[in-house]
Amino acid sequence: MLNSFKIYIYTPSKPFSFPSPIESLFFTSLQASSFVTQNPEEAHLFFVPFASNIHTRSIARFIRDLRMEFPYWNRTLGADHFYVSCTGLGYESDRNLVELKKNSVQISCSPVPEGKFVPHKDITLPPLASFTYASHAPGNKTTRYLVMHNVAKDSKLVNELRNDSDFLMESEPSNEMTLVERLGRSMFCLFEYGADISGIGKALRFGCVPVMVTDRPMQDLPLMDVLNWQKIVVFVGSGGGVKEVKRVLDRACRDDECEGTRRLGTAASQHFGWNEIPEPYDSFYMEIAHNFLLLSLRSHLGMSLVVRMWLSKGSCSLCLAVGGQRQSEMAEGDSNGSSKPTVTPYREALDALSSLITKRSRADKSNYGDRFDVLFDYLKILELEEAISEMKIIHVAGTKGKGSTCTFTESILRNCGFRTGLFTSPHLIDVRERFRLDGMDICEEKFLAYFWWCYDRLKEKCTEDIPMPTYFRFLALLAFKIFSSEQVDVVILEVGLGGKFDATNVVQKPIICGISSLGYDHMEILGNTLAQIAGEKAGIFKDGIPAFTVPQPDEAMNVLEQNASELNVHLQVVEPLDAKLLNGSKLRLEGVHQYLNAGLAIALSFTWLQRTGHHEFTHMEKASSLPEQFIKGLTTASLQGRAQIVTDQYINAESYGDLVFYLDGAHSPESMEMCARWFSLAIKEDSQKTTFNYPPQNNSESTIELVQEHHDGRYGKSSMQILLFNCMSVRDPQLLLPRLMKACASHVCSSKSMGESHTEQ
């Protein structure tokens, strides 16, 4: 199949030269390869040639011309196109550039400047490496550690390495013969991520195990989706100094594992060689193989089938580690030669996460917050203390509406142009729903990278005195790691349970705090009165940090005000959003109660903008209208399982009528009453023959959109409407059902749990 794979190269608008040798060599190799076709109709991929150092306006014009002259770009909005740019492209406002950056595959040079690389879409070229001398078989190693010359000269770790006699420091680039000799007799070669790592191919070639010094997951290494880097490189953080580096490397070489790592590295080094006329398994061919896989994925071919087809062409030195770096094989053969399915990398992570579920009681006063202080030990282990102190956090607690409030707030600030991180709980289908980056669930690949980064370090450092964190605590720590590494502008944290002893309350200096509506829930932990519950929720208040809440029962409000006064917190009460401020639009989240949550979100957003120095929006805080960005944020915010309507797409509605599910996460008496009101209104609208458009439920898009009146006789059929709400084992249905029956006595409702039955805290 690879022989029939074709690439069409567009003709550039005018002659040009690539600014870097490796870009030029890649293009020369592409032109000389058998993949190029002169007939675009038979092409599978399209290469867009331009010099990466030209102005972005020129690139935008080139894409616009391609769009107008050829039909291929518009078919996929550039998803089957690719281009080469060593420094990478940033995001621009021009439509053509947005589609190029978002959809097309960018081929860059590692390391790529921050913000110019999209993980799991873009790829990087192996560095230029000429192998004049034959590779050395791993043999006698007289030098333990060789530190390459291109590490940062003034870093603390480098200074420690320079003063340690075990490490041979290259103060400047060696000539090739000297370098080969040093590589051949060295056990480890240290590289610093972010600096020049062009020597990594040679290190692999001559049996010097590369050691990558980095404090965050790396996603732009060359051939990331082709080579299993965990098998050929040792990764180590810089925070522990020389002692930690030695400890990690000593552990990496136990039981003669180093010899196996060297052999794999030497075999993999063939993929780092460049040839003017491409040869099988050299750098160019491996890059094209990667693009071939991407193309096949977009064409809905099975990944495992594509991998087998590619491997059947020859023996690749390393098994492809598609979909995650912790597994090197996609199937494992038994002694009879038959294959058996293996656990996927994502399933492996979920199993590890599930092992953290315990039957221990949740944090409360009787057990000193279930050792709340140990959370700060976890932060030290993960080196997150400084990162959290620098985050600009909005912290929200409450009984009802805190998730919706956080979702509104995130959407508002995202539409104001900020990079957002949102942590909520629980999830409905996939744990990744809890971590949103710029309004989207974190992708599986990033989740896996950050998950194992945290899990492995905690597993290694935890003891009997500092046990592994429980389920929810680990997820909160993971959220801090994700948002720190992704360098978001604002973090919105939803409290999991209570406030005072919640894992999110390790935050010492949030920008602003919020308390949504309070009611009776989790009374076995938070207390049997509203006053006790309010006291736990007020535990997120911090000295001198302003806070907002909504109108509360007097019993609860008195406690909130008292706690605020003791901590010098300026506590303000906000009113529900006036629908007139939306200029005729409606909130995307259904229900009258959402206007109360929206009002709180507006106050939190305005105050965050003001306290972080973004005054371009705050001048409208007292105005009679909302900023356009606020309106867009409020009217586009979506959250699955909140007043969500889903039709059964597979039932024959013409014969049997509609089967409609009404989903809401209501789980307290007060929220059940709100849920019932929404359900009654939705049923009434349905009976008036209003047609709804229900989008597919495989993403976090909108729950419902009114489209048009439609009379086609379909409504003459019977319609079954089922309300699904949340009634977990710790809640008493006898407290929920009376409110439900009273609010919608004329409708038959069905209850079904859609939450999790395990204890998270």
Side-chain angles (χ1 to χ4, degrees):
M1 179 174 286
L2 194 61
N3 292 331
S4 62
F5 179 60
K6 296 300 179 184
I7 297 172
Y8 179 75
I9 302 176
Y10 289 112
T11 301
S13 55
K14 57 183 178 180
F16 71 93
S17 298
F18 285 100
S20 70
I22 193 168
E23 290 175 322
S24 179
L25 179 56
F26 175 82
F27 186 57
T28 300
S29 299
L30 176 61
Q31 290 178 309
S33 73
S34 61
F35 302 124
V36 174
T37 177
Q38 301 302 317
N39 180 10
E41 289 297 325
E42 64 179 20
H44 301 95
L45 287 180
F46 299 83
F47 181 74
V48 184
F50 57 82
S52 56
N53 58 351
I54 65 173
H55 199 282
T56 53
R57 286 198 296 268
S58 298
I59 302 175
R61 284 196 294 268
F62 186 28
I63 301 301
R64 181 198 60 195
D65 293 343
L66 295 183
R67 183 195 301 276
M68 298 177 63
E69 184 177 353
F70 298 95
Y72 313 112
W73 182 278
N74 290 328
R75 291 189 311 196
T76 63
L77 298 182
D80 52 1
H81 288 57
F82 67 107
Y83 61 97
V84 61
S85 172
C86 253
T87 56
L89 296 181
Y91 283 97
E92 302 283 348
S93 59
D94 182 88
R95 170 194 173 187
N96 299 291
L97 292 175
V98 168
E99 291 178 1
L100 179 70
K101 177 65 177 176
K102 181 180 179 181
N103 301 331
S104 302
V105 175
Q106 173 181 282
I107 300 179
S108 308
C109 304
S110 181
V112 185
E114 184 179 337
K116 294 189 176 182
F117 184 84
V118 180
H120 317 294
K121 177 183 74 68
D122 296 344
I123 55 181
T124 54
L125 294 169
L128 285 176
S130 59
F131 299 125
T132 305
Y133 299 89
S135 61
H136 289 195
N140 294 329
K141 298 289 184 178
T142 58
T143 301
R144 187 157 179 79
Y145 312 114
L146 173 65
V147 183
M148 304 305 286
H149 72 275
N150 44 24
V151 296
K153 298 296 188 294
D154 56 350
S155 71
K156 179 181 177 181
L157 176 61
V158 169
N159 290 330
E160 291 184 26
L161 296 174
R162 188 175 290 113
N163 295 324
D164 192 304
S165 59
D166 286 339
F167 292 86
L168 174 62
M169 298 285 295
E170 273 205 323
S171 58
E172 59 184 28
S174 304
N175 62 57
E176 187 169 359
M177 181 175 293
T178 302
L179 176 59
V180 167
E181 290 177 353
R182 286 183 173 180
L183 293 174
R185 69 172 187 259
S186 300
M187 293 182 63
F188 296 101
C189 290
L190 273 69
F191 297 85
E192 189 173 38
Y193 180 68
D196 181 13
I197 62 170
S198 59
I200 197 168
K202 287 187 176 181
L204 290 168
R205 178 82 168 196
F206 295 101
C208 187
V209 176
V211 178
M212 194 69 68
V213 180
T214 177
D215 291 313
R216 65 182 182 89
M218 292 183 298
Q219 298 170 315
D220 63 346
L221 285 174
L223 306 174
M224 195 76 175
D225 287 345
V226 177
L227 298 180
N228 188 341
W229 282 93
Q230 298 279 2
K231 296 289 186 181
I232 58 177
V233 172
V234 178
F235 297 94
V236 61
S238 63
V242 170
K243 184 178 179 180
E244 175 68 6
V245 171
K246 288 184 175 181
R247 188 192 65 79
V248 171
L249 298 184
D250 287 343
R251 187 183 63 177
C253 270
R254 62 191 177 193
D255 300 326
D256 295 325
E257 290 182 5
C258 277
E259 292 306 312
T261 302
R262 288 191 191 97
R263 284 192 292 270
L264 285 174
T266 303
S269 66
Q270 67 172 305
H271 305 317
F272 287 78
W274 284 91
N275 301 285
E276 289 191 7
I277 304 299
E279 298 178 4
Y281 308 113
D282 67 3
S283 292
F284 174 79
Y285 260 80
M286 296 309 290
E287 290 291 2
I288 293 300
H290 180 96
N291 281 286
F292 180 58
L293 292 174
L294 283 179
L295 173 72
S296 301
L297 277 175
R298 289 170 179 160
S299 302
H300 308 292
L301 287 177
M303 176 60 83
S304 60
L305 174 62
V306 175
V307 173
R308 292 193 190 101
M309 288 191 301
W310 170 247
L311 291 179
S312 67
K313 301 297 180 181
S315 56
C316 182
S317 62
L318 290 180
C319 293
L320 295 174
V322 180
Q325 297 275 337
R326 289 183 66 87
Q327 253 179 239
S328 61
E329 296 182 349
M330 304 181 74
E332 181 180 328
D334 58 25
S335 58
N336 297 324
S338 60
S339 62
K340 56 183 179 181
T342 60
V343 177
T344 65
Y346 190 57
R347 183 70 258 174
E348 184 184 0
L350 295 184
D351 290 343
L353 178 61
S354 297
S355 71
L356 303 178
I357 300 172
T358 70
K359 294 184 178 179
R360 294 188 307 172
S361 59
R362 295 191 182 189
D364 59 27
K365 296 177 182 177
S366 65
N367 57 14
Y368 301 98
D370 195 15
R371 293 190 60 197
F372 179 77
D373 60 306
V374 79
L375 281 161
F376 296 96
D377 293 317
Y378 299 142
L379 295 182
K380 289 181 180 178
I381 292 174
L382 298 176
E383 300 176 357
L384 287 172
E385 296 167 297
E386 182 179 353
I388 292 178
S389 68
E390 295 175 352
M391 290 181 184
K392 295 177 174 59
I393 294 172
I394 298 174
H395 201 188
V396 182
T399 306
K400 308 180 299 293
K402 61 182 183 292
S404 298
T405 298
C406 288
T407 301
F408 279 132
T409 305
E410 184 279 331
S411 185
I412 289 172
L413 294 177
R414 173 162 41 87
N415 279 280
C416 287
F418 298 99
R419 180 159 168 73
T420 59
L422 172 64
F423 177 61
T424 60
S425 62
H427 61 270
L428 294 182
I429 300 172
D430 193 311
V431 70
R432 293 181 294 111
E433 298 168 22
R434 298 175 183 242
F435 314 94
R436 281 192 178 188
L437 295 169
D438 293 328
M440 301 295 292
D441 298 347
I442 187 171
C443 67
E444 187 173 306
E445 292 81 4
K446 281 188 178 182
F447 176 83
L448 287 173
Y450 292 124
F451 177 90
W452 290 118
W453 192 95
C454 293
Y455 187 89
D456 289 343
R457 282 159 178 74
L458 289 167
K459 199 72 173 177
E460 178 184 339
K461 298 290 184 67
C462 283
T463 63
E464 289 186 5
D465 294 330
I466 306 177
M468 282 291 285
T470 50
Y471 184 89
F472 183 81
R473 286 183 171 182
F474 178 85
L475 292 178
L477 295 167
L478 178 57
F480 289 126
K481 176 60 183 176
I482 291 171
F483 299 148
S484 169
S485 297
E486 293 294 323
Q487 299 181 329
V488 299
D489 300 317
V490 56
V491 173
I492 302 98
L493 294 178
E494 178 192 0
V495 167
L497 174 69
K500 183 181 299 183
F501 298 119
D502 187 74
T504 61
N505 207 30
V506 295
V507 174
Q508 300 299 298
K509 288 290 183 180
I511 300 298
I512 185 70
C513 295
I515 305 287
S516 64
S517 299
L518 299 180
Y520 293 97
D521 196 20
H522 301 296
M523 293 182 290
E524 75 283 3
I525 298 167
L526 304 180
N528 295 315
T529 67
L530 277 180
Q532 292 174 320
I533 293 172
E536 293 297 313
K537 305 291 184 180
I540 69 169
F541 288 164
K542 301 298 186 297
D543 189 18
I545 303 298
F548 288 92
T549 188
V550 298
Q552 307 281 6
D554 291 341
E555 182 182 0
M557 185 62 76
N558 292 337
V559 174
L560 293 180
E561 291 175 344
Q562 179 182 345
N563 278 266
S565 176
E566 292 172 355
L567 290 172
N568 192 31
V569 170
H570 181 44
L571 178 65
Q572 299 181 66
V573 180
V574 299
E575 296 299 323
L577 167 67
D578 185 347
K580 295 178 182 178
L581 295 178
L582 297 178
N583 295 338
S585 299
K586 293 177 61 178
L587 295 179
R588 196 75 169 268
L589 297 180
E590 297 285 329
V592 176
H593 58 286
Q594 293 293 1
Y595 286 84
L596 185 62
N597 300 327
L600 179 56
I602 291 171
L604 294 173
S605 300
F606 268 128
T607 304
W608 185 89
L609 289 165
Q610 183 182 49
R611 286 175 56 81
T612 54
H614 299 282
H615 301 293
E616 60 269 30
F617 300 101
T618 56
H619 71 281
M620 298 188 66
E621 183 176 4
K622 303 298 183 182
S624 58
S625 61
L626 289 172
E628 179 183 345
Q629 296 87 341
F630 277 52
I631 295 175
K632 185 176 180 181
L634 292 167
T635 56
T636 59
S638 63
L639 188 60
Q640 291 194 92
R642 306 300 196 277
Q644 182 176 3
I645 303 177
V646 181
T647 55
D648 189 323
Q649 301 291 331
Y650 300 99
I651 192 171
N652 188 336
E654 294 295 332
S655 302
Y656 304 105
D658 290 316
L659 176 59
V660 186
F661 296 96
Y662 297 77
L663 285 67
D664 193 78
H667 55 270
S668 68
E670 295 84 0
S671 60
M672 181 54 64
E673 185 172 345
M674 292 295 183
C675 171
R677 291 178 182 176
W678 159 73
F679 178 56
S680 299
L681 179 61
I683 292 293
K684 181 179 179 181
E685 291 178 344
D686 185 59
S687 67
Q688 294 174 346
K689 299 182 177 62
T690 304
T691 298
F692 295 90
N693 175 35
Y694 308 102
Q697 300 303 310
N698 57 353
N699 53 41
S700 57
E701 292 296 323
S702 166
T703 60
I704 179 173
E705 290 180 333
L706 285 171
V707 181
Q708 62 179 354
E709 295 285 336
H710 182 57
H711 302 276
D712 60 355
R714 177 176 173 179
Y715 294 93
K717 305 294 182 182
S718 61
S719 177
M720 179 176 290
Q721 296 132 336
I722 301 177
L723 173 64
L724 304 181
F725 60 92
N726 194 322
C727 185
M728 296 169 65
S729 59
V730 296
R731 297 186 173 93
D732 184 359
Q734 299 302 321
L735 296 177
L736 303 181
L737 291 175
R739 296 284 188 102
L740 174 66
M741 299 302 292
K742 183 177 180 180
C744 56
S746 61
H747 299 281
V748 179
C749 305
S750 174
S751 166
K752 180 179 179 181
S753 171
M754 55 187 230
E756 297 169 334
S757 60
H758 55 257
T759 300
E760 292 187 353
Q761 197 76 339

